[in-house]
Amino acid sequence: MKIALIQSALVWENPTVNRTEFEKKISDLNTDIELIVLPEMFSTGFTMNTTKIAETMTGDTVVWMQKIAKSRNCAITGSVVITENENYYNRLLFVSPSGSIQHYDKRHLFTLAGEEKIYSAGNQKLIVNYLGWKICLLVCYDLRFPVFSRNKENYDLLVYVANWPETRILAWDSLLRARAIENLCYTIGVNRVGQDANHLSYNGHSQLIAPLGEYCIAPTETESIFVDEIDLELVRNTRQQFNFLNDGDTFKIEL
C-alpha cells in the first residue's frame, strides 16, 4: 500500500485556509497513493475553543475529506473537532475512496492541557479493514498508553496523528519505535510543524517504522510530504519468524 504523510504547519483556528493548503499539497501527489495521513486537528490546530470551531459530521471539513477521497480514489485520515449530542470530540476520521466514514474518538485526553474538561473521551478501539490491511487508528496522547494499543486484533498498521510539541519530541520518537516493535507492525506517526497561538513550537518528526523498529521514513523537522510503500507480506513474514505476539499476557481493558 502506497502512503503519503503530510507534515505541515497549521493556521490557528482557520479551517478554510488549512483545507486549502492541504488540498494544494495533495494535488502534488501521484495518483497511485492509497492512503493520506494528516495531523491531529489538522483544520484548526490543537484548540480548546470548541464553540468557535467545532463541526458536525456533515460539516465542511468532513465533506472536504469525502471529496478528496473520492476524487483521488484513496483513503484519507486525520482528526477534527466534532460536536455530537451536545458533546465535543477529538475525532479521528477514516474516509474511504467511496466516501464512507469510520471514526475513533480520542480515548486518552491530555489532562496537562485540560483537554478532558472540554472534550468527551472515546470508549471504543477502532480497527479499519482497508485493501487487505487491518489498521489501528489512534491520536497523540494515546501513544503514552501501550495497554490500549496492544495488538490483540492482529492488526498490521498502527497510525498516530498528533500535535506533539518540540519540548517532548524525544518521547514521541522513543514511544513510536516501541509501539512498532512491541506490536510487530508498521507504525506511522504524523505530527505538525510551526507554532500555535499558545506559543507552543512543533518540529514534526513524522515517521514510518517497520515491524522490527527500522525507519522507513526517518524523522525530519521541515514542512514536508513523505511517500513510501508498505508491504503486508513483510508483516506476515516477520510474525512467522518472531511469534512474540503469541506470548503476550491476557488482560481486559476497563473503559
Side-chain angles (χ1 to χ4, degrees):
M1 179 168 60
K2 201 161 189 179
I3 59 170
L5 318 182
I6 303 184
Q7 177 169 289
S8 178
L10 303 177
V11 179
W12 185 250
E13 296 182 352
N14 196 327
T16 301
V17 171
N18 286 314
R19 289 192 301 265
T20 299
E21 290 303 310
F22 276 112
E23 190 156 357
K24 290 177 184 176
K25 292 177 172 65
I26 290 168
S27 69
D28 292 333
L29 294 171
N30 292 332
T31 56
D32 58 350
I33 296 295
E34 292 164 303
L35 174 62
I36 298 170
V37 186
L38 308 179
E40 178 185 22
M41 293 193 190
F42 68 87
S43 61
T44 60
F46 186 73
T47 176
M48 303 298 161
N49 195 4
T50 51
T51 56
K52 178 182 177 181
I53 52 82
E55 301 187 33
T56 69
M57 289 297 286
T58 57
D60 290 343
T61 300
V62 177
V63 170
W64 175 83
M65 293 179 77
Q66 290 176 308
K67 182 190 77 170
I68 294 294
K70 290 177 180 178
S71 65
R72 300 284 309 191
N73 192 33
C74 72
I76 184 169
T77 189
S79 96
V80 180
V81 179
I82 295 292
T83 181
E84 189 174 81
N85 299 325
E86 300 183 352
N87 293 315
Y88 296 104
Y89 298 96
N90 185 347
R91 180 166 289 178
L92 181 54
L93 305 173
F94 187 95
V95 185
S96 73
S98 68
S100 65
I101 301 171
Q102 298 178 73
H103 72 264
Y104 161 74
D105 294 328
K106 186 178 181 182
R107 168 65 183 163
H108 299 94
L109 301 179
F110 190 49
T111 55
L112 190 63
E115 188 180 12
E116 83 289 357
K117 298 173 183 176
I118 306 295
Y119 293 91
S120 297
N123 59 9
Q124 189 173 6
K125 192 174 179 181
L126 174 67
I127 309 295
V128 168
N129 291 288
Y130 176 63
L131 298 181
W133 290 78
K134 295 175 71 174
I135 306 172
C136 180
L137 297 160
L138 297 172
V139 180
C140 202
Y141 194 43
D142 288 327
L143 179 60
R144 289 186 177 270
F145 303 95
V147 172
F148 192 66
S149 65
R150 190 63 176 167
N151 194 355
K152 295 297 184 181
E153 302 84 3
N154 202 35
Y155 62 73
D156 313 297
L157 172 62
L158 179 57
V159 177
Y160 291 93
V161 303
N163 276 209
W164 196 288
E166 182 177 1
T167 53
R168 296 186 292 278
I169 205 67
L170 177 60
W172 167 258
D173 290 340
S174 303
L175 294 174
L176 281 171
R177 186 167 249 176
R179 297 296 87 83
I181 293 168
E182 71 194 10
N183 293 305
L184 286 176
C185 66
Y186 281 106
T187 299
I188 289 171
V190 174
N191 193 28
R192 62 164 294 180
V193 295
Q195 191 174 71
D196 68 17
N198 297 315
H199 307 293
L200 289 172
S201 294
Y202 302 87
N203 63 338
H205 284 229
S206 298
Q207 51 200 266
L208 168 64
I209 304 165
L212 293 179
E214 306 97 331
Y215 281 125
C216 304
I217 297 172
T220 62
E221 300 188 351
T222 57
E223 190 161 350
S224 306
I225 300 173
F226 308 98
V227 174
D228 207 338
E229 191 164 2
I230 55 178
D231 181 4
L232 191 54
E233 283 303 309
L234 175 65
V235 178
R236 292 169 176 166
N237 292 339
T238 300
R239 290 178 183 170
Q240 285 179 357
Q241 185 176 3
F242 305 106
N243 62 345
F244 304 141
L245 294 180
N246 295 334
D247 299 330
D249 299 312
T250 300
F251 57 87
K252 181 180 180 181
I253 297 175
E254 298 290 341
L255 296 175

